[in-house]
Amino acid sequence: MNAIIESAMQRAQTTAMPQPGPVTVRLLRDDAVDRARWDAFVQACPQATFFHRAGWQRVIEGAFGHRTWFYLAEQDGVIRGVLPLAQIKSRLFGHSLIALPFCVYGGVAADSDAARGQLDDAALALARSLGVGHLEYRNYSPAHPGEPAWQGKDLYVTFRKAIVADDEANLNAIPRKQRAMVRKGIKCGLAGEVDDNVERFFTAYAHSVHRLGTPVFPKKYFALLKEVFGPDCEVRVIVREREIVAGVLSFFFRDEVLPYYGGGMPVAREVAGNDFMYWNLMQAAAARGCRVFDFGRSKRGTGAFDFKKNWGFEAQPLPYEYHLIKAESIPDVNPLNPKYQLFIRVWQKMPLALANALGPYIVKDLG
């Protein structure tokens, strides 16, 4: 009899419990409350990154003029997933829908399969309606393993490493040869300074990318990053007395620091300016409570890849995914493509002032 009563009570409780509602997808609204809810989800979701933050919508639209669609999935009034997307439509570099251009990580961040599926469907429907060549997810971890419709390529890796609160332990974790370069910068009297604007940083950055033969981002882009992300976007400049040596713009997210844009003046090679710069940032970040140093994305076979390996960081493949819509193959827009080598050599010989003037018109479509 007791078993019958207990079973009846369980059925009654199950019947009384409200069933979860359907997952619905909509666009992020342009108001402070909706953006705050979006960012609160991003802060809490393990799959989300700094590049899922709502502020990127303002940055991409304001700095480059690209159209964006920031989708969120809700269930019973609770955000269950987000997917920031932006369109790049270029005669030179093709037509694409990306999550998210100018960012190294992206794709869907969700806490349920239902939300993830609904966001995928919304992205594919949008990609087809726009007639893009491809839809691209810049995943940090595989999102559609074994699904042939989503293709990948083994080009990009990221470098991440744990750091601790002790400077000496962090320094000793750097391989000997690289540690010697850091000590060289210290002996040369280099020091780090944090700026509230991007002026000095931009000088070092523009000189550096010009030497590499890469178009420069507009200064307003960096200023907008600093304005939108506030204290989570730091501008650090390395100086020798009053001389600019190098500069780095970094993002802070949870307990991570991400040095994202950096560059050095010609003198940086003589005084190990770039080596000291990253060490100086690591020190400051560890003191701030960061426990992960994210050295960011690099392409295999590049100097940046080798530089980061020399710091003792292990390469972690980035499983970017491409869903072809109108394109017949995965795009290959990167400096390692042989067809861009002549452009790079010409750009390196161009006067710096001219390169700084023309660069923003090209780089906005590279994404």
Side-chain angles (χ1 to χ4, degrees):
M1 179 64 70
N2 288 339
I4 295 173
I5 294 173
E6 184 177 341
S7 177
M9 291 177 62
Q10 288 176 347
R11 287 197 300 272
Q13 289 174 351
T14 301
T15 303
M17 288 178 62
Q19 297 300 307
V23 174
T24 59
V25 172
R26 66 171 174 86
L27 290 171
L28 174 67
R29 292 190 291 265
D30 188 18
D31 66 66
V33 173
D34 219 30
R35 292 180 180 277
R37 292 182 63 235
W38 175 294
D39 281 340
F41 173 82
V42 167
Q43 189 71 21
C45 179
Q47 295 179 354
T49 70
F50 182 86
F51 306 100
H52 286 89
R53 289 184 55 170
W56 284 100
Q57 185 168 48
R58 182 182 165 199
V59 169
I60 291 172
E61 291 181 353
F64 306 109
H66 296 312
R67 295 179 66 191
T68 64
W69 294 262
F70 275 44
Y71 286 118
L72 62 86
E74 286 181 308
Q75 187 175 35
D76 299 325
V78 177
I79 296 178
R80 305 301 303 273
V82 297
L83 174 59
L85 292 159
Q87 174 186 223
I88 292 184
K89 193 172 185 178
S90 167
R91 291 182 179 179
L92 287 175
F93 305 113
H95 189 190
S96 56
L97 185 65
I98 306 173
L100 194 60
F102 311 103
C103 299
V104 296
Y105 308 139
V108 173
D111 63 11
S112 78
D113 291 338
R116 188 173 299 106
Q118 293 279 21
L119 289 167
D120 273 346
D121 290 345
L124 285 166
L126 177 62
R128 293 183 179 113
S129 70
L130 294 173
V132 301
H134 71 278
L135 170 65
E136 177 179 343
Y137 283 0
R138 296 185 173 177
N139 302 314
Y140 177 74
S141 57
H144 303 91
E147 295 187 28
W150 291 89
Q151 303 180 37
K153 60 180 177 180
D154 186 23
L155 176 62
Y156 294 109
V157 299
T158 192
F159 293 85
R160 291 162 56 86
K161 189 176 181 181
I163 57 176
V164 297
D166 187 286
D167 282 350
E168 194 65 26
N170 289 330
L171 187 61
N172 288 334
I174 301 172
R176 181 177 57 82
K177 289 185 178 180
Q178 185 59 49
R179 190 165 64 242
M181 295 299 290
V182 171
R183 294 192 187 281
K184 178 180 178 180
I186 296 172
K187 291 178 181 178
C188 287
L190 303 185
E193 298 177 355
V194 176
D195 286 356
D196 61 3
N197 61 71
V198 301
E199 296 298 322
R200 294 197 297 174
F201 156 78
F202 185 79
T203 298
Y205 160 79
H207 275 82
S208 186
V209 296
H210 181 245
R211 290 195 303 274
L212 294 172
T214 304
V216 67
F217 281 105
K219 188 188 295 185
K220 72 174 183 179
Y221 168 54
F222 300 111
L224 195 54
L225 286 171
K226 181 62 182 164
E227 178 185 339
V228 169
F229 296 117
D232 293 333
C233 176
E234 182 196 80
V235 177
R236 179 172 295 268
V237 177
I238 304 304
V239 297
R240 183 174 58 174
E241 296 180 350
R242 301 183 65 180
E243 178 186 18
I244 301 173
V245 175
V248 59
L249 184 147
S250 305
F251 300 132
F252 290 87
F253 181 68
R254 297 178 185 145
D255 65 345
E256 304 175 9
V257 59
L258 301 86
Y260 203 61
Y261 293 106
M265 304 295 286
V267 69
R269 295 180 68 87
E270 302 172 18
V271 296
N274 290 320
D275 308 272
F276 177 84
M277 176 175 71
Y278 291 115
W279 166 245
N280 184 252
L281 173 63
M282 188 179 291
Q283 283 184 296
R288 180 170 166 161
C290 292
R291 293 298 172 260
V292 176
F293 194 92
D294 188 328
F295 233 148
R297 182 184 82 178
S298 289
K299 303 177 190 71
R300 297 183 185 275
T302 64
F305 179 98
D306 295 336
F307 179 78
K308 294 169 185 179
K309 283 195 67 177
N310 290 342
W311 276 75
F313 286 64
E314 291 188 10
Q316 174 184 329
L318 285 174
Y320 287 6
E321 292 179 331
Y322 306 83
H323 196 295
L324 303 185
I325 306 298
K326 286 193 170 183
E328 296 181 354
S329 61
I330 297 174
D332 189 21
V333 181
N334 77 82
L336 298 180
N337 189 328
K339 73 178 184 179
Y340 296 121
Q341 294 307 303
L342 177 60
F343 172 86
I344 291 172
R345 290 194 295 270
V346 170
W347 200 267
Q348 289 171 321
K349 295 178 181 178
M350 188 182 297
L352 179 62
L354 181 59
N356 285 351
L358 296 178
Y361 295 99
I362 298 173
V363 76
K364 74 181 185 68
D365 290 336
L366 290 173

